[in-house]
Amino acid sequence: MSYGVSHSVDSIIYGADVFDGLGNASQPLDVAIKGERIAALGDLSSLQTLNKIDGHGLCLAPGFIDVHTHDDLELLRNPAMAAKITQGVTTVITGNCGISAAPAKLHSDAPDPMNLLGDKSEFQFSSMADYITAFQRQPANVNVAALVGHTTLRNNVMGELLRPANADEITAMQQQLDEAIAQGALGLSTGLAYRNANHASEAEILAFGPVLKKHNALYTTHLRTEFDAVLDAMDEAFLMENNFDIKVIISHLKCAGKNNWGRAPQLLAKFAEQGKNSRCSCDAYPYAASSSTLDLTQVTADFEITVTWSEPHPQMAGRTLADIASDWHLSLLEAATQLQPAGAIYHGLSEQDVQTILAFERTMIGSDGLPCDPHPHPRLWGSFPRVLGHYSRDQGLFSLATAIHKMTGLSAANYRLTDRGVIKQGNFADLVLFNRHTICDNATFINSELPASGIHRVWTNGHATLIDNRMIVARSGKFLTSHGKTHD
Ligand code: ZN
Ligand code: CU
């Protein structure tokens, strides 16, 4: 079908295999862009345009949505967002794992793991509105939608984080969350595994339920544990749905620790127990290794741990903890203690579990990339092409249409990003043109900042942000709210 467009359009992509983002098989179609929207699709040979792009032999998909990022401050620091655009990502969700750049009032250094987002001096947004204004003054190449971090709220109102919040502090956090969502945030994230949030009681978390319910907002959670008691932690997360009918998204779903390998089916069974009308979902990254700050409770000889940064010993970045410990004639734990504060990659997941979780119908793709890390986990530069190339094409884990759905239509629906994630007339022209035969993640654990291959063009809101291997700093990203309204 083609739609009547009376005069010329800005660009037409001819003859690409178009994936709608809903999981349907591709169709060869022409797609026209006018302004920031998709103007038409079908046989567009009768339309006029000055910018003709040959898409034959290539795939056209909705721009990918990275639902799990820590790009809060990176968007302002490096608006080109090369690590994202070179993967075809056109929208990022910030504020995950309990840590957000807004609304934040730092009294001293950023507490662990808020320090993953940036330096103390970069935390300048005491309200979500201030953060939105800063983004809109200097937009990035990608769209952004923001969660409010529970650890950030705790740090705003509590002097000491290694205890539960008291009633006054809970009231203050509820007010800050309420205000931030009213200003445009999507909802709340927690990072209950981290020591600075772990002392929060179940009651402290559930106190946010009425605020989220009032705004029909989301709850995302890095579970209280991803180790032995992971099923109990899922029960705790699902209380938000059971008690308040709030949409719950479990962050980077996984079975951590060698003695939990093989338990992924139990995690998926937990979702099934919630019932088929449950709106709970999850995200995952496509690697059998995690990364965060160097956590003393996760130090083990069961698997390799690579140190990615260390404030007192920066020269140790890139080396394994075992090597460092043996050089220093210390135990692993003693060496890890000396390195603090530090970051690490933990090779502590089973490949089979990773695949089982990626293939789960509710799983969205989220990179969890750490842009400030001097030796980042390769997920920062490789997650999306790796799902399309390695897992879909090479391993046959799911069809290309399904792989794309997990990073477009499914994500937009879960985060209620209206008019995005689906190729359809009238939707925003967030688009990626790629080669299904050559798409490939090049970033490795050794050489982790290599851009992917096979991405030909990327558009964010109708503006080209990548042409062949050339980044274009179009700064055409928008701040998105979950009602689909953009803050212009
Ligand atoms: Zn996390
Ligand atoms: Cu994260």
Side-chain angles (χ1 to χ4, degrees):
M1 72 242 144
S2 81
Y3 298 89
V5 174
S6 49
H7 28 258
S8 69
V9 294
D10 296 331
S11 313
I12 300 178
I13 305 143
Y14 293 98
D17 279 324
V18 176
F19 288 84
D20 60 8
L22 296 169
N24 297 312
S26 63
Q27 280 182 276
L29 296 171
D30 305 334
V31 174
I33 300 172
K34 183 165 188 173
E36 34 183 53
R37 305 263 183 174
I38 296 168
L41 58 169
D43 175 357
L44 304 182
S45 46
S46 61
L47 274 188
Q48 299 294 309
T49 188
L50 290 175
N51 191 16
K52 300 180 178 184
I53 296 145
D54 184 6
H56 290 91
L58 300 174
C59 299
L60 188 71
F64 306 143
I65 299 170
D66 189 346
V67 296
H68 191 118
T69 84
H70 297 289
D71 289 331
D72 307 45
L73 294 169
E74 182 69 4
L75 290 158
L76 306 175
R77 200 185 288 131
N78 287 313
M81 294 297 286
K84 299 293 147 113
I85 291 292
T86 57
Q87 296 183 66
V89 170
T90 56
T91 297
V92 301
I93 311 287
T94 60
N96 281 282
C97 296
I99 53 172
S100 59
K105 298 173 194 108
L106 290 199
H107 311 292
S108 49
D109 284 348
D112 177 279
M114 273 175 82
N115 53 357
L116 291 176
L117 299 181
D119 283 341
K120 183 187 172 199
S121 62
E122 295 177 287
F123 286 86
Q124 291 174 354
F125 311 106
S126 61
S127 71
M128 186 54 69
D130 284 354
Y131 177 77
I132 296 170
T133 302
F135 178 82
Q136 289 171 336
R137 211 175 278 148
Q138 292 207 316
N141 265 356
V142 296
N143 303 302
V144 57
L147 296 159
V148 175
H150 165 240
T151 303
T152 296
L153 296 180
R154 294 190 110 224
N155 191 57
N156 289 345
V157 306
M158 297 170 70
E160 161 62 51
L161 299 177
L162 302 182
R163 61 169 176 81
N166 65 34
D168 288 348
E169 290 160 347
I170 289 175
T171 304
M173 290 194 286
Q174 287 171 322
Q175 285 168 351
Q176 292 185 9
L177 177 66
D178 185 51
E179 182 183 275
I181 296 175
Q183 291 172 353
L186 295 179
L188 179 72
S189 83
T190 57
L192 297 175
Y194 293 103
R195 61 197 289 267
N196 287 321
N198 194 256
H199 293 265
S201 63
E202 201 169 276
E204 178 179 328
I205 304 307
L206 291 177
F208 294 106
V211 181
L212 296 172
K213 183 65 193 165
K214 171 182 159 193
H215 295 281
N216 190 25
L218 303 166
Y219 177 61
T220 75
T221 178
H222 175 155
L223 295 171
R224 202 176 278 279
T225 181
E226 296 169 331
F227 289 81
D228 304 19
V230 59
L231 295 179
D232 298 336
M234 289 178 74
D235 281 335
E236 182 184 20
F238 290 157
L239 284 177
M240 275 294 192
E241 176 169 68
N242 299 344
N243 293 6
F244 302 102
D245 189 29
I246 285 161
K247 188 185 198 68
V248 175
I249 297 171
I250 297 185
S251 298
H252 41 61
L253 187 70
K254 63 169 85 74
C255 306
K258 204 168 182 176
N259 51 325
N260 291 303
W261 289 358
R263 293 183 65 198
Q266 296 176 32
L267 272 51
L268 305 194
K270 245 319 163 207
F271 276 94
E273 268 174 37
Q274 277 296 99
K276 68 176 192 312
N277 294 326
S278 163
R279 296 180 297 154
C280 296
S281 69
C282 59
D283 62 67
Y285 47 78
Y287 297 87
S290 60
S291 182
S292 187
T293 44
L294 177 56
D295 175 2
L296 298 180
T297 68
Q298 290 193 49
V299 169
T300 170
D302 284 352
F303 45 78
E304 193 166 279
I305 298 174
T306 310
V307 173
T308 59
W309 57 273
S310 162
E311 233 167 74
H313 300 282
Q315 71 282 10
M316 293 298 147
R319 298 188 60 192
T320 67
L321 181 61
D323 275 358
I324 299 167
S326 105
D327 269 16
W328 289 353
H329 306 290
L330 294 176
S331 71
L332 293 176
L333 191 61
E334 287 162 347
T337 307
Q338 301 273 309
L339 290 160
Q340 296 290 318
I345 292 170
Y346 308 85
H347 292 267
L349 308 179
S350 110
E351 175 63 27
Q352 184 55 53
D353 284 338
V354 170
Q355 294 194 16
T356 301
I357 289 168
L358 283 175
F360 177 42
E361 61 187 11
R362 295 193 180 201
T363 302
M364 300 173 279
I365 307 305
S367 70
D368 203 6
L370 299 172
C372 294
D373 200 312
H375 287 267
H377 186 303
R379 66 195 185 188
L380 176 64
W381 286 83
S383 287
F384 292 80
R386 183 169 171 82
V387 169
L388 300 169
H390 177 70
Y391 281 115
S392 172
R393 178 193 59 223
D394 300 342
Q395 303 289 312
L397 191 57
F398 31 60
S399 70
L400 188 54
T402 296
I404 291 168
H405 178 57
K406 287 173 170 293
M407 48 184 83
T408 58
L410 181 63
S411 318
N414 277 332
Y415 285 86
R416 306 184 187 112
L417 305 177
T418 310
D419 295 349
R420 299 193 189 267
V422 177
I423 293 188
K424 176 175 127 183
Q425 188 190 21
N427 270 9
F428 287 99
D430 291 344
L431 297 167
V432 52
L433 186 65
F434 68 93
N435 185 325
R436 68 196 297 166
H437 305 295
T438 61
I439 192 158
C440 175
D441 57 304
N442 294 316
T444 65
F445 286 96
I446 306 289
N447 210 341
S448 67
E449 295 179 279
L450 293 176
S453 315
I455 304 279
H456 285 238
R457 289 193 185 232
V458 180
W459 292 261
T460 308
N461 292 308
H463 294 270
T465 39
L466 182 130
I467 297 179
D468 298 321
N469 292 318
R470 191 164 51 91
M471 293 278 315
I472 295 161
V473 188
R475 294 177 173 272
S476 55
K478 291 172 182 274
F479 187 89
L480 311 180
T481 70
S482 72
H483 321 291
K485 289 178 281 187
T486 53
H487 277 234
D488 283 317

